[in-house]
mmCIF file of all heavy atoms in Angstrom:
data_model
loop_
_atom_site.group_PDB
_atom_site.id
_atom_site.type_symbol
_atom_site.label_atom_id
_atom_site.label_comp_id
_atom_site.label_asym_id
_atom_site.label_seq_id
_atom_site.Cartn_x
_atom_site.Cartn_y
_atom_site.Cartn_z
ATOM 1 N N THR A 959 -3.254 -11.690 32.083
ATOM 2 C CA THR A 959 -3.964 -10.417 32.274
ATOM 3 C C THR A 959 -5.189 -10.633 33.159
ATOM 4 O O THR A 959 -5.471 -9.825 34.055
ATOM 5 C CB THR A 959 -4.393 -9.830 30.921
ATOM 6 O OG1 THR A 959 -3.229 -9.503 30.163
ATOM 7 C CG2 THR A 959 -5.221 -8.569 31.118
ATOM 8 N N VAL A 960 -5.916 -11.718 32.925
ATOM 9 C CA VAL A 960 -7.066 -12.043 33.778
ATOM 10 C C VAL A 960 -6.600 -12.231 35.223
ATOM 11 O O VAL A 960 -7.204 -11.708 36.166
ATOM 12 C CB VAL A 960 -7.776 -13.314 33.279
ATOM 13 C CG1 VAL A 960 -8.855 -13.752 34.278
ATOM 14 C CG2 VAL A 960 -8.398 -13.081 31.911
ATOM 15 N N GLU A 961 -5.502 -12.946 35.409
ATOM 16 C CA GLU A 961 -4.972 -13.189 36.745
ATOM 17 C C GLU A 961 -4.569 -11.882 37.429
ATOM 18 O O GLU A 961 -4.850 -11.670 38.617
ATOM 19 C CB GLU A 961 -3.763 -14.132 36.665
ATOM 20 C CG GLU A 961 -4.116 -15.534 36.198
ATOM 21 C CD GLU A 961 -2.888 -16.362 35.862
ATOM 22 O OE1 GLU A 961 -1.777 -15.769 35.756
ATOM 23 O OE2 GLU A 961 -3.019 -17.585 35.699
ATOM 24 N N LEU A 962 -3.915 -11.003 36.677
ATOM 25 C CA LEU A 962 -3.464 -9.736 37.272
ATOM 26 C C LEU A 962 -4.647 -8.853 37.631
ATOM 27 O O LEU A 962 -4.674 -8.265 38.717
ATOM 28 C CB LEU A 962 -2.534 -9.010 36.305
ATOM 29 C CG LEU A 962 -1.871 -7.739 36.847
ATOM 30 C CD1 LEU A 962 -0.428 -7.621 36.356
ATOM 31 C CD2 LEU A 962 -2.646 -6.482 36.458
ATOM 32 N N MET A 963 -5.630 -8.766 36.746
ATOM 33 C CA MET A 963 -6.787 -7.916 37.022
ATOM 34 C C MET A 963 -7.597 -8.447 38.203
ATOM 35 O O MET A 963 -8.111 -7.665 39.011
ATOM 36 C CB MET A 963 -7.671 -7.787 35.776
ATOM 37 C CG MET A 963 -7.052 -6.963 34.661
ATOM 38 S SD MET A 963 -6.780 -5.231 35.185
ATOM 39 C CE MET A 963 -5.752 -4.625 33.840
ATOM 40 N N GLU A 964 -7.715 -9.754 38.318
ATOM 41 C CA GLU A 964 -8.417 -10.329 39.456
ATOM 42 C C GLU A 964 -7.761 -9.879 40.762
ATOM 43 O O GLU A 964 -8.434 -9.481 41.728
ATOM 44 C CB GLU A 964 -8.396 -11.859 39.371
ATOM 45 C CG GLU A 964 -9.294 -12.449 38.305
ATOM 46 C CD GLU A 964 -9.125 -13.955 38.203
ATOM 47 O OE1 GLU A 964 -8.227 -14.505 38.865
ATOM 48 O OE2 GLU A 964 -9.900 -14.570 37.439
ATOM 49 N N ARG A 965 -6.450 -9.945 40.808
ATOM 50 C CA ARG A 965 -5.718 -9.581 42.016
ATOM 51 C C ARG A 965 -5.723 -8.067 42.260
ATOM 52 O O ARG A 965 -5.764 -7.636 43.408
ATOM 53 C CB ARG A 965 -4.290 -10.123 41.921
ATOM 54 C CG ARG A 965 -4.249 -11.637 42.135
ATOM 55 C CD ARG A 965 -3.001 -12.298 41.569
ATOM 56 N NE ARG A 965 -3.018 -13.722 41.889
ATOM 57 C CZ ARG A 965 -3.750 -14.622 41.239
ATOM 58 N NH1 ARG A 965 -4.536 -14.246 40.251
ATOM 59 N NH2 ARG A 965 -3.704 -15.904 41.598
ATOM 60 N N PHE A 966 -5.669 -7.309 41.190
ATOM 61 C CA PHE A 966 -5.748 -5.854 41.311
ATOM 62 C C PHE A 966 -7.056 -5.446 42.005
ATOM 63 O O PHE A 966 -7.058 -4.686 42.984
ATOM 64 C CB PHE A 966 -5.642 -5.199 39.940
ATOM 65 C CG PHE A 966 -5.908 -3.711 39.952
ATOM 66 C CD1 PHE A 966 -4.949 -2.815 40.361
ATOM 67 C CD2 PHE A 966 -7.150 -3.227 39.548
ATOM 68 C CE1 PHE A 966 -5.194 -1.444 40.375
ATOM 69 C CE2 PHE A 966 -7.412 -1.853 39.553
ATOM 70 C CZ PHE A 966 -6.428 -0.972 39.967
ATOM 71 N N TYR A 967 -8.172 -5.987 41.529
ATOM 72 C CA TYR A 967 -9.468 -5.600 42.087
ATOM 73 C C TYR A 967 -9.746 -6.222 43.433
ATOM 74 O O TYR A 967 -10.557 -5.705 44.198
ATOM 75 C CB TYR A 967 -10.587 -5.925 41.085
ATOM 76 C CG TYR A 967 -10.666 -4.918 39.963
ATOM 77 C CD1 TYR A 967 -10.225 -5.227 38.683
ATOM 78 C CD2 TYR A 967 -11.153 -3.635 40.206
ATOM 79 C CE1 TYR A 967 -10.287 -4.304 37.662
ATOM 80 C CE2 TYR A 967 -11.213 -2.701 39.184
ATOM 81 C CZ TYR A 967 -10.772 -3.027 37.913
ATOM 82 O OH TYR A 967 -10.823 -2.113 36.911
ATOM 83 N N ARG A 968 -9.093 -7.325 43.736
ATOM 84 C CA ARG A 968 -9.249 -7.915 45.057
ATOM 85 C C ARG A 968 -8.798 -6.925 46.130
ATOM 86 O O ARG A 968 -9.400 -6.818 47.195
ATOM 87 C CB ARG A 968 -8.421 -9.192 45.140
ATOM 88 C CG ARG A 968 -8.614 -9.970 46.442
ATOM 89 C CD ARG A 968 -7.685 -11.165 46.472
ATOM 90 N NE ARG A 968 -7.936 -12.040 45.327
ATOM 91 C CZ ARG A 968 -7.059 -12.970 44.930
ATOM 92 N NH1 ARG A 968 -5.895 -13.102 45.544
ATOM 93 N NH2 ARG A 968 -7.345 -13.747 43.907
ATOM 94 N N SER A 969 -7.730 -6.173 45.823
ATOM 95 C CA SER A 969 -7.233 -5.160 46.763
ATOM 96 C C SER A 969 -7.957 -3.833 46.584
ATOM 97 O O SER A 969 -8.433 -3.232 47.550
ATOM 98 C CB SER A 969 -5.730 -4.954 46.562
ATOM 99 O OG SER A 969 -5.007 -6.144 46.828
ATOM 100 N N TYR A 970 -8.045 -3.377 45.337
ATOM 101 C CA TYR A 970 -8.604 -2.054 45.055
ATOM 102 C C TYR A 970 -10.087 -1.979 45.423
ATOM 103 O O TYR A 970 -10.562 -0.962 45.905
ATOM 104 C CB TYR A 970 -8.421 -1.717 43.578
ATOM 105 C CG TYR A 970 -8.887 -0.333 43.201
ATOM 106 C CD1 TYR A 970 -8.146 0.787 43.572
ATOM 107 C CD2 TYR A 970 -10.066 -0.146 42.485
ATOM 108 C CE1 TYR A 970 -8.566 2.070 43.228
ATOM 109 C CE2 TYR A 970 -10.496 1.126 42.137
ATOM 110 C CZ TYR A 970 -9.737 2.229 42.521
ATOM 111 O OH TYR A 970 -10.163 3.482 42.190
ATOM 112 N N GLY A 971 -10.807 -3.062 45.222
ATOM 113 C CA GLY A 971 -12.239 -3.024 45.455
ATOM 114 C C GLY A 971 -12.670 -3.274 46.878
ATOM 115 O O GLY A 971 -13.763 -2.897 47.275
ATOM 116 N N SER A 972 -11.807 -3.910 47.682
ATOM 117 C CA SER A 972 -12.270 -4.322 49.004
ATOM 118 C C SER A 972 -11.509 -3.721 50.173
ATOM 119 O O SER A 972 -11.969 -3.767 51.295
ATOM 120 C CB SER A 972 -12.201 -5.850 49.113
ATOM 121 O OG SER A 972 -10.852 -6.295 49.009
ATOM 122 N N GLU A 973 -10.324 -3.169 49.935
ATOM 123 C CA GLU A 973 -9.508 -2.717 51.049
ATOM 124 C C GLU A 973 -9.214 -1.217 51.019
ATOM 125 O O GLU A 973 -8.379 -0.735 51.764
ATOM 126 C CB GLU A 973 -8.198 -3.499 51.087
ATOM 127 C CG GLU A 973 -8.401 -4.994 51.252
ATOM 128 C CD GLU A 973 -7.072 -5.747 51.346
ATOM 129 O OE1 GLU A 973 -6.092 -5.151 51.817
ATOM 130 O OE2 GLU A 973 -7.026 -6.909 50.935
ATOM 131 N N ASP A 974 -9.882 -0.492 50.140
ATOM 132 C CA ASP A 974 -9.710 0.951 50.042
ATOM 133 C C ASP A 974 -8.251 1.315 49.752
ATOM 134 O O ASP A 974 -7.742 2.332 50.212
ATOM 135 C CB ASP A 974 -10.183 1.653 51.332
ATOM 136 C CG ASP A 974 -10.383 3.154 51.128
ATOM 137 O OD1 ASP A 974 -10.696 3.531 49.980
ATOM 138 O OD2 ASP A 974 -10.206 3.909 52.073
ATOM 139 N N TRP A 975 -7.571 0.456 48.986
ATOM 140 C CA TRP A 975 -6.194 0.754 48.595
ATOM 141 C C TRP A 975 -6.186 1.713 47.409
ATOM 142 O O TRP A 975 -7.121 1.754 46.623
ATOM 143 C CB TRP A 975 -5.484 -0.524 48.193
ATOM 144 C CG TRP A 975 -5.018 -1.383 49.329
ATOM 145 C CD1 TRP A 975 -5.369 -1.265 50.639
ATOM 146 C CD2 TRP A 975 -4.148 -2.501 49.244
ATOM 147 N NE1 TRP A 975 -4.768 -2.234 51.391
ATOM 148 C CE2 TRP A 975 -4.009 -3.010 50.560
ATOM 149 C CE3 TRP A 975 -3.467 -3.127 48.218
ATOM 150 C CZ2 TRP A 975 -3.202 -4.115 50.853
ATOM 151 C CZ3 TRP A 975 -2.678 -4.218 48.500
ATOM 152 C CH2 TRP A 975 -2.542 -4.702 49.798
ATOM 153 N N SER A 976 -5.101 2.435 47.250
ATOM 154 C CA SER A 976 -4.927 3.254 46.050
ATOM 155 C C SER A 976 -4.685 2.325 44.867
ATOM 156 O O SER A 976 -4.276 1.165 45.022
ATOM 157 C CB SER A 976 -3.725 4.191 46.213
ATOM 158 O OG SER A 976 -2.514 3.445 46.233
ATOM 159 N N ALA A 977 -4.917 2.836 43.660
ATOM 160 C CA ALA A 977 -4.703 2.021 42.458
ATOM 161 C C ALA A 977 -3.236 1.632 42.338
ATOM 162 O O ALA A 977 -2.920 0.508 41.929
ATOM 163 C CB ALA A 977 -5.155 2.796 41.236
ATOM 164 N N ALA A 978 -2.324 2.533 42.677
ATOM 165 C CA ALA A 978 -0.894 2.231 42.579
ATOM 166 C C ALA A 978 -0.503 1.102 43.518
ATOM 167 O O ALA A 978 0.244 0.191 43.141
ATOM 168 C CB ALA A 978 -0.069 3.489 42.888
ATOM 169 N N ARG A 979 -0.987 1.140 44.722
ATOM 170 C CA ARG A 979 -0.676 0.102 45.698
ATOM 171 C C ARG A 979 -1.297 -1.226 45.306
ATOM 172 O O ARG A 979 -0.673 -2.289 45.446
ATOM 173 C CB ARG A 979 -1.169 0.527 47.084
ATOM 174 C CG ARG A 979 -0.773 -0.412 48.207
ATOM 175 C CD ARG A 979 -1.337 0.065 49.535
ATOM 176 N NE ARG A 979 -1.069 -0.877 50.604
ATOM 177 C CZ ARG A 979 -1.637 -0.835 51.810
ATOM 178 N NH1 ARG A 979 -2.509 0.122 52.078
ATOM 179 N NH2 ARG A 979 -1.347 -1.736 52.722
ATOM 180 N N ALA A 980 -2.532 -1.205 44.800
ATOM 181 C CA ALA A 980 -3.191 -2.434 44.365
ATOM 182 C C ALA A 980 -2.478 -3.043 43.169
ATOM 183 O O ALA A 980 -2.341 -4.268 43.074
ATOM 184 C CB ALA A 980 -4.652 -2.148 44.025
ATOM 185 N N LEU A 981 -2.011 -2.221 42.232
ATOM 186 C CA LEU A 981 -1.280 -2.722 41.077
ATOM 187 C C LEU A 981 0.035 -3.366 41.506
ATOM 188 O O LEU A 981 0.399 -4.433 41.028
ATOM 189 C CB LEU A 981 -1.013 -1.604 40.072
ATOM 190 C CG LEU A 981 -0.207 -2.002 38.837
ATOM 191 C CD1 LEU A 981 -0.921 -3.095 38.032
ATOM 192 C CD2 LEU A 981 0.054 -0.789 37.952
ATOM 193 N N ARG A 982 0.729 -2.721 42.419
ATOM 194 C CA ARG A 982 1.987 -3.298 42.908
ATOM 195 C C ARG A 982 1.746 -4.670 43.537
ATOM 196 O O ARG A 982 2.484 -5.626 43.274
ATOM 197 C CB ARG A 982 2.618 -2.359 43.930
ATOM 198 C CG ARG A 982 3.920 -2.918 44.497
ATOM 199 C CD ARG A 982 4.311 -2.256 45.803
ATOM 200 N NE ARG A 982 5.527 -2.846 46.322
ATOM 201 C CZ ARG A 982 5.939 -2.760 47.581
ATOM 202 N NH1 ARG A 982 5.217 -2.076 48.458
ATOM 203 N NH2 ARG A 982 7.055 -3.331 47.978
ATOM 204 N N SER A 983 0.726 -4.780 44.375
ATOM 205 C CA SER A 983 0.426 -6.047 45.028
ATOM 206 C C SER A 983 0.119 -7.116 43.988
ATOM 207 O O SER A 983 0.608 -8.264 44.087
ATOM 208 C CB SER A 983 -0.775 -5.870 45.971
ATOM 209 O OG SER A 983 -1.142 -7.093 46.560
ATOM 210 N N ALA A 984 -0.673 -6.772 42.979
ATOM 211 C CA ALA A 984 -1.030 -7.739 41.930
ATOM 212 C C ALA A 984 0.199 -8.164 41.140
ATOM 213 O O ALA A 984 0.373 -9.351 40.844
ATOM 214 C CB ALA A 984 -2.074 -7.119 40.999
ATOM 215 N N GLN A 985 1.059 -7.215 40.795
ATOM 216 C CA GLN A 985 2.249 -7.547 40.021
ATOM 217 C C GLN A 985 3.186 -8.459 40.806
ATOM 218 O O GLN A 985 3.764 -9.394 40.253
ATOM 219 C CB GLN A 985 2.967 -6.270 39.589
ATOM 220 C CG GLN A 985 2.218 -5.507 38.515
ATOM 221 C CD GLN A 985 2.888 -4.205 38.136
ATOM 222 O OE1 GLN A 985 3.409 -3.482 38.982
ATOM 223 N NE2 GLN A 985 2.882 -3.890 36.852
ATOM 224 N N CYS A 986 3.348 -8.190 42.077
ATOM 225 C CA CYS A 986 4.224 -9.028 42.895
ATOM 226 C C CYS A 986 3.663 -10.438 43.037
ATOM 227 O O CYS A 986 4.429 -11.416 43.076
ATOM 228 C CB CYS A 986 4.422 -8.386 44.269
ATOM 229 S SG CYS A 986 5.469 -6.909 44.240
ATOM 230 N N GLU A 987 2.350 -10.577 43.097
ATOM 231 C CA GLU A 987 1.740 -11.899 43.159
ATOM 232 C C GLU A 987 1.936 -12.667 41.858
ATOM 233 O O GLU A 987 2.292 -13.844 41.851
ATOM 234 C CB GLU A 987 0.254 -11.796 43.479
ATOM 235 C CG GLU A 987 -0.078 -11.463 44.920
ATOM 236 C CD GLU A 987 -1.550 -11.646 45.213
ATOM 237 O OE1 GLU A 987 -2.086 -12.729 44.887
ATOM 238 O OE2 GLU A 987 -2.161 -10.698 45.755
ATOM 239 N N ILE A 988 1.696 -11.995 40.730
ATOM 240 C CA ILE A 988 1.858 -12.649 39.423
ATOM 241 C C ILE A 988 3.324 -13.017 39.203
ATOM 242 O O ILE A 988 3.633 -14.039 38.576
ATOM 243 C CB ILE A 988 1.354 -11.738 38.291
ATOM 244 C CG1 ILE A 988 -0.146 -11.462 38.471
ATOM 245 C CG2 ILE A 988 1.610 -12.380 36.924
ATOM 246 C CD1 ILE A 988 -1.015 -12.694 38.454
ATOM 247 N N MET A 989 4.241 -12.218 39.704
ATOM 248 C CA MET A 989 5.660 -12.482 39.579
ATOM 249 C C MET A 989 6.038 -13.846 40.173
ATOM 250 O O MET A 989 6.926 -14.529 39.677
ATOM 251 C CB MET A 989 6.442 -11.370 40.300
ATOM 252 C CG MET A 989 7.933 -11.374 40.055
ATOM 253 S SD MET A 989 8.748 -10.153 41.128
ATOM 254 C CE MET A 989 7.874 -8.642 40.695
ATOM 255 N N GLN A 990 5.347 -14.239 41.219
ATOM 256 C CA GLN A 990 5.612 -15.523 41.850
ATOM 257 C C GLN A 990 5.098 -16.683 40.989
ATOM 258 O O GLN A 990 5.583 -17.813 41.100
ATOM 259 C CB GLN A 990 4.955 -15.592 43.234
ATOM 260 C CG GLN A 990 5.395 -14.485 44.175
ATOM 261 C CD GLN A 990 6.900 -14.420 44.330
ATOM 262 O OE1 GLN A 990 7.575 -15.430 44.556
ATOM 263 N NE2 GLN A 990 7.443 -13.210 44.228
ATOM 264 N N MET A 991 4.151 -16.402 40.131
ATOM 265 C CA MET A 991 3.568 -17.432 39.256
ATOM 266 C C MET A 991 4.251 -17.458 37.893
ATOM 267 O O MET A 991 4.490 -18.522 37.324
ATOM 268 C CB MET A 991 2.075 -17.165 39.081
ATOM 269 C CG MET A 991 1.293 -17.106 40.378
ATOM 270 S SD MET A 991 -0.339 -16.339 40.162
ATOM 271 C CE MET A 991 -1.075 -17.406 38.952
ATOM 272 N N HIS A 992 4.543 -16.274 37.366
ATOM 273 C CA HIS A 992 5.180 -16.128 36.064
ATOM 274 C C HIS A 992 6.329 -15.135 36.227
ATOM 275 O O HIS A 992 6.105 -13.919 36.248
ATOM 276 C CB HIS A 992 4.185 -15.598 35.014
ATOM 277 C CG HIS A 992 2.892 -16.352 34.976
ATOM 278 N ND1 HIS A 992 2.780 -17.628 34.452
ATOM 279 C CD2 HIS A 992 1.642 -16.018 35.410
ATOM 280 C CE1 HIS A 992 1.512 -18.039 34.552
ATOM 281 N NE2 HIS A 992 0.810 -17.070 35.127
ATOM 282 N N ALA A 993 7.540 -15.633 36.351
ATOM 283 C CA ALA A 993 8.671 -14.790 36.736
ATOM 284 C C ALA A 993 9.039 -13.737 35.693
ATOM 285 O O ALA A 993 9.481 -12.639 36.051
ATOM 286 C CB ALA A 993 9.888 -15.662 37.037
ATOM 287 N N HIS A 994 8.853 -14.026 34.428
ATOM 288 C CA HIS A 994 9.303 -13.095 33.393
ATOM 289 C C HIS A 994 8.443 -11.824 33.392
ATOM 290 O O HIS A 994 7.204 -11.904 33.448
ATOM 291 C CB HIS A 994 9.243 -13.757 32.016
ATOM 292 C CG HIS A 994 10.071 -13.056 30.997
ATOM 293 N ND1 HIS A 994 9.694 -11.857 30.420
ATOM 294 C CD2 HIS A 994 11.283 -13.357 30.450
ATOM 295 C CE1 HIS A 994 10.614 -11.460 29.557
ATOM 296 N NE2 HIS A 994 11.594 -12.348 29.563
ATOM 297 N N PRO A 995 9.074 -10.645 33.305
ATOM 298 C CA PRO A 995 8.319 -9.387 33.298
ATOM 299 C C PRO A 995 7.290 -9.267 32.181
ATOM 300 O O PRO A 995 6.359 -8.467 32.288
ATOM 301 C CB PRO A 995 9.414 -8.319 33.148
ATOM 302 C CG PRO A 995 10.638 -8.960 33.716
ATOM 303 C CD PRO A 995 10.530 -10.419 33.343
#
Side-chain angles (χ1 to χ4, degrees):
T959 296
V960 172
E961 294 169 347
L962 186 142
M963 289 297 169
E964 287 175 353
R965 286 159 177 78
F966 172 79
Y967 282 106
R968 185 183 302 163
S969 298
Y970 184 74
S972 63
E973 300 182 29
D974 196 29
W975 282 12
S976 68
R979 186 182 175 193
L981 177 61
R982 179 199 178 199
S983 177
Q985 289 177 321
C986 288
E987 285 191 51
I988 298 300
M989 190 188 304
Q990 303 306 312
M991 303 164 59
H992 310 287
H994 198 285

